Amino acid sequence: QPWGGQSAAVNKHCLTRAWRPNSPSLGVLGGGYCWGSCVANSTSPGACPGPAQPRRCDPLPSCRLDQREAHRGLHREATPTRAAHRLRKPTGSGGQEACGRQNFEDVRCKCICPPYKENSGHIYNKNISQKDCDCLHVVEPMPVRGPDVEAYCLRCECKYEERSSVTIKVTIIIYLSILGLLLLYMVYLTLVEPILKRRLFGHSQLIQSDDDIGDHQPFANAHDVLARSRSRANVLNKVEYAQQRWKLQVQEQRKSVFDRHVVLS
Amino acid sequence: MESEQLFHRGYYRNSYNSITSASSDEELLDGAGVIMDFQTSEDDNLLDGDTAVGTHYTMTNGGSINSSTHLLDLLDEPIPGVGTYDDFHTIDWVREKCKDRERHRRINSKKKESAWEMTKSLYDAWSGWLVVTLTGLASGALAGLIDIAADWMTDLKEGICLSALWYNHEQCCWGSNETTFEERDKCPQWKTWAELIIGQAEGPGSYIMNYIMYIFWALSFAFLAVSLVKVFAPYACGSGIPEIKTILSGFIIRGYLGKWTLMIKTITLVLAVASGLSLGKEGPLVHVACCCGNIFSYLFPKYSTNEAKKREVLSAASAAGVSVAFGAPIGGVLFSLEEVSYYFPLKTLWRSFFAALVAAFVLRSINPFGNSRLVLFYVEYHTPWYLFELFPFILLGVFGGLWGAFFIRANIAWCRRRKSTKFGKYPVLEVIIVAAITAVIAFPNPYTRLNTSELIKELFTDCGPLESSSLCDYRNDMNASKIVDDIPDRPAGIGVYSAIWQLCLALIFKIIMTVFTFGIKVPSGLFIPSMAIGAIAGRIVGIAVEQLAYYHHDWFIFKEWCEVGADCITPGLYAMVGAAACLGGVTRMTVSLVVIVFELTGGLEYIVPLMAAVMTSKWVGDAFGREGIYEAHIRLNGYPFLDAKEEFTHTTLAADVMRPRRNDPPLAVLTQDNMTVDDIENMINETSYNGFPVIMSKESQRLVGFALRRDLTIAIESARKKQEGIVGSSRVCFAQHTPSLPAESPRPLKLRSILDMSPFTVTDHTPMEIVVDIFRKLGLRQCLVTHNGRLLGIITKKDILRHMAQTANQDPASIMFN
């Protein structure tokens, strides 16, 4: 007995339901499984029900009617969302050019078809609305003929997927610009500023010799600037002051993490 | 002693020199103490005097309204800054809770007065939900950013999407029809570096070119990450969970949850993940979410001024962090409850739940992976499992426990080495070396070259007919018109055997590299590498069991369930169980881990195997050492974390633990009304204690209350500036009534408002078990010891931690900070 398994018997379950003539339960839920079993069995003659259910077992057209339910159950696709319908776009005439143009569209229906008889496995990709996302619409040209179509299509798994290329683009651009700014600032703080300061203090040392320039580490002069900026009070100084204070904080953090190893080691 | 040095330096610089350093609080961008309801510039100067010079910033400098004690003399004007804490200090939960209750009462009583007050009280009532909503939104958005950027950067190591530079490999080939069944990720738009540089896609030349570019990118990402961390925010390194645990238990690390930490952690996390190091982004995401929570709590006075309340927000934020990290909202709430939080009332539970929900919702609407899932490695199984499979699951649990124990030992030993020897002085070099070794070894093996999340995804995925990877290279019989779901067990093909070899090598590589990677100075999480190790081991075991069942289906254990042509073993499920077991071995989580994994897979039926494996792994791990990796790191760093899970069973009494000890100088105490300002300042300068008991008189030794050092210095400074006639020889009076003084003496200084008049006391014969329990449950910072009503000594949280370390035969000096 399976422990905790629930869907191992999906197909059998559907089979029984599908063949119940005029069953009212062939509605929304049942349709998903039952379409599959119906088509699968239609390959073997005689398995199809008689005139009681002609519409159900007429392979292609009726399956199209039921496909919305069908792929919900059979093709285990990514969560269907209502957005799909809004995003629905008119598909081109098909063929390579159309696909080339639609490369970066935001919706796709991707069907993976495993090897079948002499056909090797194949991946089909089409920009198509969620409603039409099934093997019959996406697999073009159909590699098999006639009665094999259903068997082939049953093996294919079609997934409807969405993405937002704008989000991706914007995110990457935001990320890269922040990273770039930080890098520039880092280069400024570690390389440019010490040189500038040295030059500045090199000149001013003649006048005021008490300035300490011994330490060339980044942020090393934060104490000085803090002391000096306190005396004046305009907006610029306030900004500078805040910056210097931040530098001091970072210096303190750096000491405790990298030098003294008291935290985060 | 580290802490004393810390304190002294901070103290001298901060307090008495602070009058000269001026600034206004408003420019404190970190939001420290922005919300205050006093306006005089002198107050600002005063308070900010300490924040100005260095040691305190960012996190928790709530300027306080009406702070200090709950039995406060309402007539006294509140002194700003009183009731806040220094960096690396422990908060007093009892005091904070009292403060909040009092504030709440005040708002409630004013509510009826006017419509404005009514609005204010409504805002106050709602601010808890608002702040968690904002936190959830921010952490969801940041997680989305990290996911998208990390995916793109990871693929940048291999090549680039020429037609749209911002797409990763998967997105680049999104609409391409040129992908084939065997090579699903090949499309003309995606160019590898070899194709771009030397113009050929195949052959040894291109392999070497790709190899070089891979190492180059890995090294540059790692270098950028570590230098950004070093220059801008050293606190952004590591996983952050041990520190967050400590902070939530009531410790203060200023700047740890600040804006810069948030920004640098977010940015460098992407770089670190992309550099291919054996680390994950899940742990750091918790830190990122907590930073969001802390920053948003500054918008609401209810939370910004109260450390205990702020920790409730942080608990909720950590739930949101896990929720977006694993796409497991419920798992996140349980993680917060089980692993990180210290004080977790029901109200916080609901808020955590809500924050997790909001965060997951935001991440889902960003849809970072394009698969409508919150995580890359979401899988869905529906295959059943059988009773006999519990045995391999438990084996996996044993493996997970062994791995956890080994990892904790090895990693702590390595980190201790880093902490104590010269080797720790070269963090940049260390990161570069680790990244170089990782990249050089990882590239040749396809399973280690992959992004770790993708590796986990591949290992979790079951082999259907749609899979074409070498892990699924089974020998097929093509005859039947079988339906997709129902693939029977099959004999393994050559591909599977070679994949197993590669997986074994990958397992060894991951085990070794993760030990050396966790703890380097870039943001680095542990969840993903641990899960990867477990998943590899699980998959190998799964394939082995599957083949065993195929070739020996007449064995009595297989006979009943695995007939020929039945699908009875799912190797992907073993990978999942292995991942959970390894994660459980390392972190020693149980409930939250199982919930996280089952939310990952959406299969309720696998809870029993997961529980069995996780429980076994915890037992096995606990046999080798009781603490998980986070507790081990807390102990390594000596954070004052009083673990509620540990038991204290020694028979010592309060008198054995309290200070002063037998040969120590007597306790530094203040008397209620016969000390001068100079006396107190001298005492503050000469000692490093963080608080002083106040007694009636030296003779009677009867207790009046407790005054904190920080409050004393701030109050005296403030009085010297603001009040007329306070000089060094002024009397300081803690009593209700000023004593009668000679006519010519200066005005007395009343400090009753900063006195805590309900300090916790125990008698000297109280067993330590009870004292420890009081400290844990109430979150005390210190407790006074009396004998016959006379003050005898004091027990601080640090004393208790030292005592516990001593009884556990550890070095008591390793406990740092007060």
Side-chain angles (χ1 to χ4, degrees), chain B residues 436-452:
Chain B
I437 294 174
T438 312
V440 168
I441 301 178
F443 188 83
N445 188 338
Y447 292 104
T448 48
R449 194 194 309 176
L450 274 181
N451 178 3
T452 318

Side-chain angles (χ1 to χ4, degrees), chain A residues 7 103 108 165 249 254 265, chain B residues 167 174 189 230 382 637:
Chain A
S7 62
N103 255 348
R108 71 169 172 188
S165 50
Q249 293 165 3
R254 207 176 299 143
S265 42
Chain B
Y167 281 146
W174 168 270
Q189 288 87 5
K230 191 167 181 198
H382 293 288
N637 280 312

